[in-house]
Amino acid sequence: MKNSKITRKITQGMYILTTVGGGCIVDAVARVGGTEQPLIAVSVSKTNHSHKLLADNDRFALSVLGKEADPELIQTFGFKSSKDVDKCKSCEIEEVEGVPVVKKTIGYMVMEKVDTIDTDTHTVYVGKMIEGDILSDDEPMTYAYYQEHKDDLTKVKTEDNKTAWICTVCGYVYYGDEVPEDYKCPLCGLGKSYFKKKED
């Protein structure tokens, strides 16, 4: 493949997916049908802990990130695992239809899960929107904008005198002297060769 980074030119939006137990940052979201209660599809990596949470719950929400989003939201929902951290305690959350939604966003959509589509690396969850609201008029953040401004948005720093290694595809950060040979990114599933050392 000559350059897989061409996918960064697909300018879909950036969202915080939440369900009972946690959530993550997602970008592969699409409206796939419906009128008053539209069908919304979201693709989630099987290596992501939120994949298990979605499999175990009947409802999920998507909060729309704006260009002025608090970088802490991206750090928390993008670079930490719900297995280790209660992400909803670090930001303002409102419960809607039994699902946590993030308040400091453009708005939210709450879905009732109606179908799943299995692929090699991801599962596409299809939901029927049962509630939604607009919370601000900010301009939505696109995937292309995120890739262009990722360093500013994530503000990665070393921890405990360890080096930060950044996945060049999804932005996940691994801390350690070296990335292990058999390491797989927990967000996108790619290996050590895709990690680049964060320069001071």
Side-chain angles (χ1 to χ4, degrees), residues 5-190:
K5 292 181 181 178
I6 184 61
T7 57
R8 296 182 182 180
K9 303 303 181 182
I10 301 174
T11 56
Q12 66 264 32
M14 298 291 291
Y15 307 83
I16 298 176
L17 182 151
T18 48
T19 189
V20 175
C24 63
I25 299 283
V26 293
D27 60 85
V29 173
R31 177 174 173 159
V32 294
T35 52
E36 190 171 325
Q37 289 186 295
L39 296 177
I40 308 294
V42 56
S43 179
V44 182
S45 171
K46 292 179 180 179
T47 62
N48 195 313
H49 182 64
S50 294
H51 181 275
K52 180 183 184 305
L53 296 177
L54 277 175
D56 293 341
N57 288 285
D58 293 327
R59 291 182 176 180
F60 63 93
L62 292 165
S63 298
V64 184
L65 283 169
K67 284 186 175 180
E68 303 302 317
D70 184 349
E72 184 67 27
L73 289 176
I74 296 172
Q75 291 176 24
T76 298
F77 285 92
F79 301 142
K80 298 177 182 178
S81 173
S82 298
K83 288 187 297 186
D84 307 319
V85 176
D86 185 345
K87 298 181 180 183
C88 292
K89 284 188 175 179
S90 67
C91 61
E92 291 187 56
I93 293 290
E94 177 183 1
E95 188 170 298
V96 180
E97 298 291 337
V99 181
V101 299
V102 182
K103 293 179 70 172
K104 289 188 176 180
T105 57
I106 291 176
Y108 63 84
M109 298 163 275
V110 178
M111 265 70 67
E112 187 88 44
K113 191 168 63 179
V114 297
D115 201 1
T116 59
I117 303 167
D118 186 59
T119 72
D120 287 346
T121 59
H122 291 65
T123 299
V124 178
Y125 293 93
V126 181
K128 178 175 68 175
M129 192 167 80
I130 58 174
E131 187 56 277
D133 199 6
I134 296 173
L135 305 177
S136 83
D137 294 324
D138 292 347
E139 187 176 352
M141 181 187 298
T142 64
Y143 182 69
Y145 179 91
Y146 170 77
Q147 289 294 338
E148 185 177 347
H149 299 89
K150 187 162 53 178
D151 286 346
D152 292 331
L153 290 167
T154 56
K155 300 184 185 302
V156 175
K157 297 178 181 178
T158 59
E159 292 184 352
D160 300 325
N161 296 318
K162 293 181 179 179
T163 303
W165 300 84
I166 305 172
C167 176
T168 56
V169 174
C170 71
Y172 181 82
V173 182
Y174 173 83
Y175 291 102
D177 294 334
E178 291 287 342
V179 180
E181 289 297 329
D182 60 349
Y183 187 77
K184 299 291 183 184
C185 177
L187 291 187
C188 66
L190 296 175

